[in-house]
Amino acid sequence: MSYFTNKTVYITGAASGIGLETAKQLIKQGTHLVLFDVQSFDEVLSDLQALNSKDASIDTYELDVTDAQMVTAQIAAAADNKSPDILMHFVGITGPWTFDEMSQEQFERVLNINLFGTRNVLAAVRPFLSRGDQVMVTASMASFTGSYGYSSYSASKFAIWGMMQSINYEWQPLGIDITVFAPPPIDTPLTQAEVGVMAEAGVGMKKLAGELKIEDAVKSMLKGVEKREFLVVPGVMANLIRMQLRFFPVSWVNWIGNKAVALSTKG
């Protein structure tokens, strides 16, 4: 038996990307899955069932995280059936546009999905959490450092980092543990959608943090949840950047970033 065997895990954004990979790894461990996504699960349910050798339950719900009323209703309906032991929240989008090129609508959409969507999910699930339960929220390396072409995305992720630190102070004394997952770039449909959209300078800065395989990133996250760690930063390069941000002056960090931009746009 693993740590996750027979636990009920709610996963948002579970129809693709990191959420789907997490569901695949957990179903092999006999975890009861309650999956949420705005996308249809028709194409992935058969894959999950093929991995379901321990006969765990799989329930699915449509969820638009920007609709607070819908989020409240759907999570309440799910909890009426199976109360969560762990929430894992993965819903998010990138915003690979420079500030000068980005419209107000684009900026607001990133904040609505990433920040307000996270708030909506946490508020909806909170009545069903009790001592010993856990919450894992996906942030990013962009929670700690800006990047060329990521003003909207970094704004949303910096805010998530601050929000989760604050919530941790409120919920941890109640026995509800928080994990913040802050990975570097991972090869997912989100990052693939940036190809041809993000400027070369932004691509160059992202390369500084390296790119992780999705399977390895999820394994690191699950280990962190099992250990009830507050912050999980997978990948050697990502951790080096995190250390640089903690121990070096901002002027040094900005110099490195400006050099990366210059090299990416040279010629």
Side-chain angles (χ1 to χ4, degrees), residues 198-242:
M198 176 170 275
E200 284 300 314
V203 174
M205 287 194 76
K206 284 181 64 176
K207 287 180 179 178
L208 289 175
E211 184 175 87
L212 289 183
K213 292 182 179 179
I214 191 170
E215 298 88 353
D216 296 334
V218 170
K219 286 178 183 177
S220 294
M221 181 274 294
L222 292 177
K223 285 181 181 177
V225 171
E226 181 175 352
K227 294 177 181 178
R228 295 179 179 260
E229 295 176 350
F230 177 70
L231 176 63
V232 177
V233 180
V236 174
M237 288 303 297
N239 276 285
L240 287 175
I241 290 174
R242 176 74 171 140

Side-chain angles (χ1 to χ4, degrees), residues 151-222:
S151 57
S152 60
Y153 184 69
S154 287
S156 70
K157 295 298 184 175
F158 265 80
I160 287 172
W161 171 245
M163 179 172 68
M164 298 316 299
Q165 279 193 305
S166 298
I167 291 175
N168 180 65
Y169 295 138
E170 298 171 12
W171 292 4
Q172 201 277 333
L174 304 177
I176 301 169
D177 288 321
I178 303 290
T179 296
V180 178
F181 179 44
I186 300 172
D187 185 19
T188 67
L190 274 182
T191 56
Q192 292 164 12
E194 294 179 345
V195 176
V197 179
M198 176 170 275
E200 284 300 314
V203 174
M205 287 194 76
K206 284 181 64 176
K207 287 180 179 178
L208 289 175
E211 184 175 87
L212 289 183
K213 292 182 179 179
I214 191 170
E215 298 88 353
D216 296 334
V218 170
K219 286 178 183 177
S220 294
M221 181 274 294
L222 292 177

Side-chain angles (χ1 to χ4, degrees), residues 109-160:
R109 183 168 185 265
V110 173
L111 269 291
N112 282 336
I113 292 174
N114 293 0
L115 177 57
F116 289 98
T118 299
R119 180 266 165 204
N120 292 340
V121 170
L122 292 175
V125 80
R126 176 63 186 92
F128 309 105
L129 298 175
S130 56
R131 184 170 294 275
D133 291 341
Q134 295 175 256
V135 169
M136 191 291 301
V137 168
T138 306
S140 168
M141 282 302 296
S143 297
F144 314 121
T145 181
S147 185
Y148 191 104
Y150 259 1
S151 57
S152 60
Y153 184 69
S154 287
S156 70
K157 295 298 184 175
F158 265 80
I160 287 172

